[in-house]
Amino acid sequence: MDINFEYYKIFYYVAKYENITKAAAALGSNQPNVTRIMKLLESQLGCRLFVRGARGISLTEEGELLYSHVEIAYKQLLGAQEEIRKQGSFSGGTVEIGVTETALHLFLLTALPHFRLEFPEIKIKIHNHTTPETIRHLISGKLDFAVVTDPFALSETVLCNKIMDYDEVLVGGTQYRSLRANVLELKDLGKYSLIGLGRESATYHLYKDFFIEHGVDYEPDMEVATSDLMLPLIENNFGIGFVPQTLALPLLEQGKLVQIQINCRIPKRSIQMIADKGRGKSLAASTLYKYLKQRAVISFQ
């Protein structure tokens, strides 16, 4: 199917503004011409892309699907155009990265300030999601790269670099102080309210498998969307939960949390940086990616 790529550019603006007149103005064209080209595109694709109503237009299901791809491609082309224009006198750009809550707190919050001082002209957009959702956004082309927590499954098209390892501990609020005196079995945790991340997260599946390996069912009494919500809930005695040791340590030292020992080794975790092998990075994205890799090497030394 040989479709003029200019049609897709016009489609992008019509879908973006949901208004042919506004799209025509943005394109420096006129309404009849834009309407004619959209009808040609629909004819060549063999489907309706828009539903026209009194208040303007809206995308059909096929239109939404096409726009999800055209939007990514158009933004990448604009980014490449801008990068080429600035080549030889690097002066910035925008990087879209996906980050999980734990990766943000354990690594990026300490790494990014130094990067911002060295490259103040680079803009960084951070998208915070669970590991599975972040990987979906990366593969779909919405992210330049991502920094996520394990576990996860990746295809051979995705490049992975370990940033750091970290440990998790089981903690509770001050009402669980009596539990410090004994080493609990994993099955004993069923007697207490357990707080964990939601089942759409990688952490949920990690602990689900961990409990099953020890013949115990894992069903948190309270599920939260982000790890940021766990510590306040645990500190206020809503239950006990597994959290990164580094984040729990200040509250343990202040006596606001107590560490609870169990008779089996808690799974070790890691933070990984992932990128799509088949898609090139902009100069700005490549600069940040290389910088974070170097920070990881320094951290391991």
Side-chain angles (χ1 to χ4, degrees), residues 187-235:
K187 65 180 181 180
D188 294 332
L189 301 189
K191 302 174 185 177
Y192 309 99
S193 179
L194 191 61
I195 300 174
L197 289 180
R199 58 194 66 218
E200 71 284 353
S201 68
T203 298
Y204 175 90
H205 293 287
L206 173 81
Y207 280 105
K208 184 76 172 179
D209 292 341
F210 173 58
F211 273 62
I212 288 174
E213 286 174 8
H214 291 83
V216 182
D217 192 25
Y218 177 73
E219 284 299 332
D221 300 278
M222 186 177 292
E223 294 183 16
V224 298
T226 67
S227 56
D228 253 13
L229 298 174
M230 287 189 63
L231 280 172
L233 291 171
I234 294 171
E235 182 184 348

Side-chain angles (χ1 to χ4, degrees), residues 63-228:
E64 291 281 3
L65 177 61
L66 181 61
Y67 183 68
S68 68
H69 293 282
V70 170
E71 181 186 26
I72 294 169
Y74 188 66
K75 287 182 177 179
Q76 288 179 343
L77 286 171
L78 288 179
Q81 176 181 290
E82 185 68 10
E83 185 177 332
I84 290 170
R85 187 182 68 81
K86 294 178 178 178
Q87 198 155 19
S89 58
F90 178 61
S91 59
T94 301
V95 188
E96 307 258 0
I97 60 175
V99 183
T100 60
E101 202 81 43
T102 299
L104 177 67
H105 287 283
L106 295 187
F107 177 64
L108 279 180
L109 285 182
T110 57
L112 287 180
H114 301 282
F115 180 82
R116 294 287 294 159
L117 288 173
E118 190 171 348
F119 301 97
E121 67 278 12
I122 294 180
K123 297 179 181 180
I124 302 172
K125 292 185 179 181
I126 297 177
H127 304 269
N128 176 220
H129 302 289
T130 63
T131 293
E133 191 173 0
T134 298
I135 291 174
R136 286 195 295 272
H137 287 314
L138 175 69
I139 293 173
S140 71
K142 295 180 180 178
L143 303 172
D144 291 301
F145 63 89
V147 187
V148 298
T149 45
D150 66 352
F152 50 79
L154 291 177
S155 68
E156 294 181 356
T157 63
V158 177
L159 180 67
C160 186
N161 288 283
K162 181 186 284 190
I163 295 296
M164 61 180 290
D165 292 313
Y166 67 96
D167 294 307
E168 294 200 320
V169 292
L170 178 62
V171 295
T174 53
Q175 287 184 11
Y176 295 90
R177 192 178 288 115
S178 62
L179 298 182
R180 293 184 302 181
N182 302 304
V183 178
L184 302 181
E185 294 186 22
L186 206 58
K187 65 180 181 180
D188 294 332
L189 301 189
K191 302 174 185 177
Y192 309 99
S193 179
L194 191 61
I195 300 174
L197 289 180
R199 58 194 66 218
E200 71 284 353
S201 68
T203 298
Y204 175 90
H205 293 287
L206 173 81
Y207 280 105
K208 184 76 172 179
D209 292 341
F210 173 58
F211 273 62
I212 288 174
E213 286 174 8
H214 291 83
V216 182
D217 192 25
Y218 177 73
E219 284 299 332
D221 300 278
M222 186 177 292
E223 294 183 16
V224 298
T226 67
S227 56
D228 253 13

Side-chain angles (χ1 to χ4, degrees), residues 234-246:
I234 294 171
E235 182 184 348
N236 285 279
N237 298 298
F238 283 90
I240 61 176
F242 297 93
V243 298
Q245 185 177 37
T246 303

